Amino acid sequence: MQYSFYPGPSQVYPQVGMYMQQALASGILSANHRSNAFMDLWAETKVLFHEKLLVPRDYTLYITSSATECWEITAQSLIGNNSLNFYNGAFGQKWLEYTKKLANGKNCVGKFFAKDEEIKSINQPCEVLCLTQNETSNGTQIPIDDIGKLSKTAEITVVDATSSMAGINLPWAAADVWFASVQKCFGLPAGLAVMVCSPKALKHAQLVNDHNHYNSLLFIHENFGKNQTPYTPNVLGIYLLNRVLNQIPSIKSTNFTIKNRAQDWYRFFAENCKNITLYIENEAVRSDTVIVLQAKAEYIKSLLNYCASHGITLGKGYGPEAASTFRIANFPAITDEAIGFAQQLIQTHYNNYYG
Ligand SMILES: *Cc1c(COP(=O)(O)O)cnc(C)c1O
């Protein structure tokens, strides 16, 4: 057995292989993207997305190629004058760096906060506030109840939810733009991302009035509104997204499962492995979808090798403390059986190593 607990790209749903074959057999992969077959596929995908993830009706869904592209779209099409990026880890920081590169005379600033800190308020009002809901590198999250409080100080709030969308129930109405690539909680192959915009975000895009890019938000909006795309899209990716959305339960149910499994993972390490510590001490900001542990670098190397030799891939650390941390994806496509097996391996290896 080969099984991945890597937090992206991650374990895909076992049905994906069958869906790929069905995509081929259906002829959709050879159909023109201006055809009715494609337009129907996209129209149905939008409905499923809204239904399963409980997205407000007036929020519009778009496809992009990656979360990184969504960082760029935000900078080009939503920031007219200034922006404020909050970050406490590697992905949030990268987003800030991209934003600054594209700033073009706009005032784009970042504010670092400590990994165990909860951002309670923002004292400087800004045009565009950028938040990383779940920081995949260090296993923290901005508690969902805080997002609405933070977004009050900004005209537009954009949230990178790449490693939490489709895993936890997001407070959509509390922000204007949400995006995620699908190789994390959607349990799909990489190469596709989803972006959701409120009517207010679209009005704001009209004020900024960016038309200079193939992925300018207004241009994307105009095309997707006709169930079309400005370029030839990743039809296979969209087909697979459609099928997976069809297959998964409502996000309320997934949210419940994921939170219980997260508690179980944290309890497992706290109770059974005294030499492994939970990297995030403040329970309020601990991620539900990416579990990060801290231990001796040598031990981590040994553990990851041991698990790999039994077909289980755990996630390496990421960012400045990469060597002394490791990560475990708690994404919906992972089964209880696989979690049980992984915990058994970790326990056996731990007892051998420290016993
Ligand atoms: C994985 C990840 C990204 C990058 O996703 P791409 O699809 O590679 O662009 C961005 N933000 C967060 C929080 C992520 O976890």
Side-chain angles (χ1 to χ4, degrees):
M1 187 179 80
Q2 282 295 328
Y3 213 90
S4 179
F5 286 79
Y6 215 99
S10 48
Q11 187 65 35
V12 298
Y13 280 103
Q15 293 91 334
V16 165
M18 179 180 77
Y19 296 155
M20 281 177 164
Q21 288 179 329
Q22 290 174 348
L24 189 63
S26 76
I28 188 83
L29 303 184
S30 308
N32 189 288
H33 61 293
R34 312 263 175 235
S35 67
N36 285 334
F38 176 77
M39 295 201 296
D40 290 349
L41 172 70
W42 176 243
E44 187 186 85
T45 307
K46 282 192 290 191
V47 173
L48 283 169
F49 191 90
H50 280 80
E51 269 176 21
K52 290 294 174 80
L53 300 185
L54 303 175
V55 180
R57 272 174 185 281
D58 58 351
Y59 277 51
T60 320
L61 176 68
Y62 313 100
I63 288 295
T64 68
S65 65
S66 64
T68 305
E69 188 188 343
C70 298
W71 292 344
E72 193 169 287
I73 292 172
T74 302
Q76 290 165 355
S77 297
L78 288 166
I79 302 172
N81 300 305
N82 70 83
S83 63
L84 176 58
N85 280 63
F86 268 81
Y87 68 101
N88 75 352
F91 285 101
Q93 189 174 0
K94 262 197 219 174
W95 187 5
L96 169 64
E97 283 162 13
Y98 274 90
T99 307
K100 281 185 166 169
K101 274 187 212 171
L102 293 166
N104 249 338
K106 299 166 201 167
N107 183 22
C108 299
V109 296
K111 188 156 170 40
F112 176 80
F113 61 109
K115 71 179 173 66
D116 281 289
E117 191 185 330
E118 217 177 319
I119 329 167
K120 277 297 175 200
S121 62
I122 293 167
N123 28 35
Q124 58 195 112
C126 61
E127 182 195 9
V128 178
L129 174 65
C130 300
L131 303 173
T132 302
Q133 195 277 322
N134 197 75
E135 176 51 72
T136 321
S137 66
N138 61 17
T140 58
Q141 68 176 322
I142 298 176
I144 54 160
D145 293 339
D146 290 351
I147 291 178
K149 289 177 220 160
L150 301 175
S151 65
K152 283 202 184 87
T153 25
E155 283 172 50
I156 293 294
T157 300
V158 182
V159 186
D160 178 342
T162 299
S163 52
S164 54
M165 189 187 291
I168 67 168
N169 192 5
L170 297 171
W172 302 101
D176 303 290
V177 179
W178 298 83
F179 59 81
S181 37
V182 299
Q183 73 274 20
K184 313 249 165 116
C185 287
F186 285 91
L188 284 164
L192 191 78
V194 288
M195 185 169 75
V196 170
C197 290
S198 71
K200 193 172 152 213
L202 289 166
K203 260 197 206 136
H204 193 81
Q206 276 162 358
L207 293 177
V208 176
N209 206 26
D210 160 45
H211 293 279
N212 294 342
H213 308 274
Y214 83 99
N215 57 3
S216 291
L217 183 55
L218 294 174
F219 189 49
I220 296 178
H221 177 72
E222 197 185 303
N223 278 273
F224 276 90
K226 296 181 280 189
N227 291 329
Q228 296 199 352
T229 57
Y231 51 86
T232 318
N234 179 348
V235 179
L236 176 59
I238 295 170
Y239 180 91
L240 297 176
L241 173 65
N242 177 296
R243 298 299 301 271
V244 161
L245 284 170
N246 201 42
Q247 160 201 323
I248 59 176
S250 165
I251 190 64
K252 276 197 183 151
S253 151
T254 306
N255 183 71
F256 182 79
T257 309
I258 290 300
K259 293 206 168 185
N260 279 332
R261 287 179 180 172
Q263 286 311 309
D264 180 67
W265 270 117
Y266 288 124
R267 214 181 306 117
F268 169 79
F269 283 106
E271 289 177 3
N272 304 314
C273 311
K274 298 282 172 267
N275 295 310
I276 302 176
T277 52
L278 309 185
Y279 184 55
I280 303 305
E281 289 161 56
N282 180 3
E283 216 178 320
V285 299
R286 247 180 231 155
S287 170
D288 291 310
T289 49
V290 181
I291 316 294
V292 181
L293 292 314
Q294 191 163 36
K296 271 197 325 192
E298 205 182 296
Y299 165 79
I300 293 175
K301 241 182 162 176
S302 168
L303 171 68
L304 267 55
N305 283 333
Y306 177 79
C307 288
S309 72
H310 289 80
I312 294 285
T313 306
L314 300 182
K316 280 193 233 163
Y318 193 111
E321 296 192 70
S324 63
T325 54
F326 65 103
R327 298 175 301 152
I328 295 177
N330 180 33
F331 295 163
I334 296 168
T335 62
D336 286 326
E337 290 70 28
I339 294 171
F341 181 57
Q343 291 187 349
Q344 210 180 309
L345 284 179
I346 294 166
Q347 188 74 72
T348 304
H349 173 267
Y350 185 88
N351 294 348
N352 290 340
Y353 193 93
Y354 286 112

